Amino acid sequence: MITSKHRTFFFFLSTIFFNSNSFTSTHGNTTFCHKIEKQALLTLKQSLNLNNSTLSSWNTTNSNCCTWNGVVCSVPTSHVHRLHLSSHSLHGKINLSTLLGLKHLTYLDLSHNQFQGAIPPSIAMLKNLEYLNLSNAGFQGEIPRSIGNLSSLRTLVLEGSGQRVHGLGWLSGLVRLKHLNMNFIDLRSETNWLAIINALPRLAELHLSGCNLLSPLSTLDHVNATSLTFLDLSRNGLASFSVAGWIFRQGNLRFLDMSRNYIEGHIPSTSNTTKLQHGDLSWNKLSSVIPDWIYSCQDLKFVYLGNNFLEGTISKRVANLTSLDTFSLSYNQISGEIPSEVTSLCAIRILDFSGNNLEGNISDLFANMSHCFLEGVVTWRMRENKLSGHLTDKFGEFKKLTFLDLTKNSISGVIPHSLGESSSLRRLWLGFNKLSGELPMSIGQLSNLESLTFGRNMLEGIVNETHFEKLTKLKYLFASGNNLSLKVSPDWIPPFPLLEELGIGSWNLGTGSEIPSWIHGLYKNLSVLDLSDTGLSGEVPTWVWGVSKLNLSHNHFHGEIPDFKPWENRLAFPYYRRMYLSSNRFSGSLPRVSNDMIELDLSNNSLSGSLSHFLCDATYDTYVLKILHLGNNLISGKIPNCWMKWSSLEYINLGNNLMFGRIPNSIGLLANLLSLNLDGNKFSGEIPLSIQNCAKLVKLDVGGNDLIGKIPTWIGTSLSNLMFLVLRSNRFSGEIPSSICHLHTLQILDISSNDLSGVIPSCVHNLTAMATSRSFEEYDGGGIQYSQVFDTFMESVSIDTKGSVLQYVTILVLVTSINLSDNNLSGEIPEGVTSLVELKFLNLSRNHLTGLIPRRVGDMKQLESLDLSRNSLVGEIPVSVTVLSFLSHFDLSYNLLEGKIPESTQILGMDASSFVGNRLCGPPFPRNCTNTREEEEEDEDEDGDEGEIDWFYVLVSSGYAVGFVGAGSVLVLNKSWRQGYFMWAERVWHKICVYSTIKWVRLKVALGG
């Protein structure tokens, strides 16, 4: 007996059988297309003007169009109901009205062709279409609104650049639509897109990637499109989570991609998306913690939250994500320890926690790895964190691990021998840690290894052939910055013939002074070579100059540097040439550079001649050079006015050469310039006005020249990004422009040893960078980097402080300094200077400053050096200086200060020379303040009655003053006389001033004032 249940099952099977046959294009000779439909297809082919090979089966000889390529007929009716014409090299303008004869057409795929013009509006006449795919078909211009009349559509794919729409209202007619793909269609003018999408009740998949979408103007209070399972809004201009309320109420959502937008703020703390399997919010500006609801999505497989500003910690609830395949939190601000639950995830394949503030002992993390984790993980990246501890023998238990990246942490100890048992490893990156001991020989057993980096550690010992025994697939080896010695046989042939990058800087190569012959054997594929600081000498072999990226710095090479030609292997990576040849003994003229040279460092050599043939070479119209460092050579002559071809330059250093003349105006054409260093030459004239066009400048150093004129006011307005301004040891005159105070990013200001006059600008408190705390993490470890090739190429500044000149590089971003010394500044020290609470070095010595030392000087708690010597400051030393616990250099000598020297640990450690030339008492002077007061009382008794004024001494001191001023006026015209005379005259003048001041104070007391 056939029950109702059996009848239902039989009907289900019959339906499947029927449908499976209805989509067949041919069944022997039983299915023939209708004549009118055949003619419609032939007309379509003729309209496209195709060659003979395209749609060759569409011809009159083959009368059954159901057998034609791309044509699908329905078996029961023989009507054409599908056209699969994707990737058929169709081109020209398509006339879709030719398809009007296909009354039963439900499926049309014209994707990936080369049609011309816009989509024809006549597409709307194909009323029965349920599937329409016109993606990447070559159409341009506006998408016709008439598509909205295709009310039977379930799938609409319009993906492709070069198209646009004028409003999306026409979508409201597609009430049956389930799948909508408009990727890369320009929708920037549609501000109501969310409300329109929400009105499509059956929509399940939505693809709107790269559409220039902007955040909707209003939020939605209700969700109408409840069937949504797939949502891609990536690569748009969304700036806020105004769509969050709509998205995170989608209870059926399984795929969400909002990556590469500009979304700021917090990830919502609650969500209904409990079925989510793929979530990508990477490359935004999100700043919240990881919300707890993510750990409740038990079906979650892929999580991408990298490149945001996420904070907080990784929850132990990560253990709930038992289906997790990929977990990426890279480059956020996640802190705390990595929970051990991470290493218990059995389904995990890819973990990327790079670029965070994670800490803790990595030994504990490795020790708790579960068996299934060791069996499954493929990629584990934890570079650029604060992880410490040792690597353990667990390394050898990874079964599928292909990529391990622990670069830039604080991991110490030895590299375990068991590492050689991780045979699946392809990339092993351990550089920039604190690893010590010897390199284990087992590393040579990693036969699948393609990339190995352990540079910038503290490894030592011998490296021999066994360390490379089975590394036949090795392409990249970076091991510079260790104390390793290579001992191989003279005829050694490396087992890695495909090696492309080799970095063994600071190694002892054991070959005397020559570049080892085995390196020459790798020349065919070698594109990067770092042999810096290896003690090599002699002339550089010709073949070496053919390497694209070359670092021979800090050696003893000599001879001339040949002209650089474009790299021969232009199709391979890297595309640009980089040459680092500093600190050798190269001589001769500067080499000409090729038009693919991007970084060139020839500093600290003996190169001579002029810049003309280098800068004005007519071989190429333009150059791509970004870094040019020619400092500390013997280059002479003027700077030619040929900077027009060098618009890519970001860093120029011509410091400490023998150059002279005016700075050319064409430097102002370098709009990308970040650092300009012309110090230590004999340049004259004024700073050219054109430099104000270099608005990106971070550093301007023209110190140690013969420049004249006033400090340009435009420096403070046009160069608003300046962090380091060095104008010392020139002949600048006039007042310090108040516009300097507009430089809110300025950290170092050095205008010492000029002829500046006037007062210190009272707006100095506006130099807010000197009042703002900063950390290494803000600048990836402390330095300002222009290149990371061969470690890093970083900015440096020399500061004259603590009695010596110190150069700052790696901690430069933490350095703040003001040096106004050796000028003719007058007036009082502005009280606002004490608000610069992060200032480390302050030097106002050798001026004519008067008044009191600011009483709140103790607020400047970061001060390491304070020099106010050789001025005319009066009053007592403020007691607040006793809280300056970092103060190591303190000089108040030769002022008019009096009273007791405040006592603190730092001050008691100072030499008495820091306080001489004043009327001070107490340690470090041997005399105490009680005896000093008794001596002063005796002096007053000797002077007679209170009201008596000794005019003789007043007139004598005035005569000395007049004579001194007259002589000084003559000496102003001769700098060398002035410098010699002032050393003697200053002492005399100081004694006169002290005596006159004392008498004046006594006179006021005598007169009752």
Side-chain angles (χ1 to χ4, degrees), residues 652 726 903:
I652 298 175
V726 181
E903 294 185 14

mmCIF file of all heavy atoms in Angstrom, residues 652 726 903:
data_model
loop_
_atom_site.group_PDB
_atom_site.id
_atom_site.type_symbol
_atom_site.label_atom_id
_atom_site.label_comp_id
_atom_site.label_asym_id
_atom_site.label_seq_id
_atom_site.Cartn_x
_atom_site.Cartn_y
_atom_site.Cartn_z
ATOM 1 N N ILE A 652 67.810 64.578 1.823
ATOM 2 C CA ILE A 652 69.041 65.102 1.231
ATOM 3 C C ILE A 652 70.008 65.442 2.356
ATOM 4 O O ILE A 652 69.656 66.164 3.289
ATOM 5 C CB ILE A 652 68.789 66.377 0.395
ATOM 6 C CG1 ILE A 652 67.853 66.085 -0.781
ATOM 7 C CG2 ILE A 652 70.100 66.957 -0.121
ATOM 8 C CD1 ILE A 652 67.473 67.323 -1.566
ATOM 9 N N VAL A 726 67.512 73.419 12.906
ATOM 10 C CA VAL A 726 68.877 73.707 13.337
ATOM 11 C C VAL A 726 69.449 74.812 12.451
ATOM 12 O O VAL A 726 69.698 74.609 11.270
ATOM 13 C CB VAL A 726 69.764 72.447 13.256
ATOM 14 C CG1 VAL A 726 71.168 72.773 13.746
ATOM 15 C CG2 VAL A 726 69.156 71.309 14.063
ATOM 16 N N GLU A 903 69.458 72.691 48.111
ATOM 17 C CA GLU A 903 70.151 71.412 48.217
ATOM 18 C C GLU A 903 69.275 70.267 47.709
ATOM 19 O O GLU A 903 68.101 70.175 48.039
ATOM 20 C CB GLU A 903 70.541 71.151 49.683
ATOM 21 C CG GLU A 903 71.562 72.125 50.212
ATOM 22 C CD GLU A 903 72.024 71.775 51.624
ATOM 23 O OE1 GLU A 903 71.735 70.640 52.056
ATOM 24 O OE2 GLU A 903 72.651 72.623 52.285
#
